[in-house]
Amino acid sequence: MDLVRQFTTKLSNELDKIPALRAFQVSTGIDKVYFVFAAATTLLLFVFFGFGAKLICNIVGFIYPAYTSFKAIESDTKADHVQWLTYWVVYACFNVIEVFSDILLAWIPLYYPLKLSFLFWLFMPSTKGAIFLYINLVAPFLKTNEACIDEALKQAMSCSGKVFLDISGMVRDVGRDVTKTVAMKIVENSIEVRSPKAADPITSI
């Protein structure tokens, strides 16, 4: 019981640093600790049953780290830069794997709760899971296949540039043909308007 009380007191002190929660407690009379517990429980239930779970995972995995990365860039602490650069590399690799195995992963029971826990594990300062995965999995794989990846990227960029030039040429040709056709129509209509109308045979008699 004492541990629970100590945890609640510590959490309350941390929540006091958030002005919005202080204002919420003053205006509603609801203890901010209870509100946070209720909100967290609601989110967990949504994730557990799959309602909005993907959105919540995206918020946790992308929006929060993006904002924290912004703060790290603005700071002078090199450790923050390394931590969040590492996170984004690992997160990108995870997204690639998830895209190609999304159909299979969706059938895993409690996939989104597991994914949410995994994302927290990646970027929490106390766990630094992204650094662990980078050192043990991502970096060795990328270093081993760096030459092949560079060559594939080079070919992809070359092909994409060629495709872009081909599409640009097609668009230019189509635009020229359309412009020519429209100009001819305008000239023809102008000639028809200026030419005198043929006399009505009944009127001429």
Side-chain angles (χ1 to χ4, degrees):
M1 195 67 180
D2 291 337
L3 291 176
V4 174
R5 189 178 296 108
Q6 290 176 4
F7 174 77
T8 305
T9 303
K10 185 177 180 180
L11 178 61
S12 179
N13 293 334
E14 291 296 325
L15 296 177
D16 278 335
K17 300 176 183 178
I18 304 176
L21 289 178
R22 292 202 308 267
F24 173 81
Q25 180 171 325
V26 172
S27 60
T28 62
I30 300 174
D31 194 315
K32 55 186 174 297
V33 175
Y34 296 150
F35 171 74
V36 169
F37 274 132
T41 303
T42 303
L43 286 177
L44 288 176
L45 288 174
F46 271 100
V47 173
F48 184 82
F49 291 106
F51 300 111
K54 190 172 184 179
L55 175 62
I56 295 172
C57 287
N58 287 336
I59 292 173
V60 172
F62 180 75
I63 296 179
Y64 171 75
Y67 177 70
T68 313
S69 298
F70 155 74
K71 295 181 69 174
I73 292 171
E74 295 298 318
S75 71
D76 297 327
T77 306
K78 185 178 179 181
D80 291 339
H81 300 170
V82 173
Q83 178 184 352
W84 288 109
L85 280 173
T86 305
Y87 169 80
W88 287 115
V89 172
V90 175
Y91 184 70
C93 295
F94 172 72
N95 271 349
V96 170
I97 296 173
E98 190 180 32
V99 165
F100 288 102
S101 57
D102 187 51
I103 297 177
L104 297 176
L105 293 175
W107 290 95
I108 298 178
L110 306 179
Y111 169 66
Y112 283 111
L114 292 173
K115 179 181 177 180
L116 189 62
S117 302
F118 173 72
L119 292 174
F120 276 116
W121 177 75
L122 283 182
F123 63 71
M124 288 294 289
S126 58
T127 56
K128 295 183 179 179
I131 295 177
F132 173 81
L133 290 180
Y134 178 81
I135 293 174
N136 292 280
L137 292 177
V138 178
F141 174 80
L142 292 178
K143 288 178 181 178
T144 303
N145 300 278
E146 186 174 2
C148 296
I149 295 173
D150 288 342
E151 183 62 25
L153 289 175
K154 183 179 179 181
Q155 292 181 3
M157 293 297 293
S158 176
C159 292
S160 62
K162 186 173 183 288
V163 170
F164 177 76
L165 291 176
D166 292 341
I167 293 175
S168 299
M170 291 173 59
V171 171
R172 184 177 61 251
D173 294 341
V174 171
R176 184 174 60 246
D177 293 341
V178 170
T179 303
K180 184 178 179 181
T181 303
V182 171
M184 291 177 63
K185 285 291 184 182
I186 293 174
V187 172
E188 290 176 0
N189 292 336
S190 177
I191 293 174
E192 290 178 0
V193 170
R194 292 181 181 179
S195 61
K197 294 183 179 180
D200 191 345
I202 298 177
T203 306
S204 59
I205 295 174

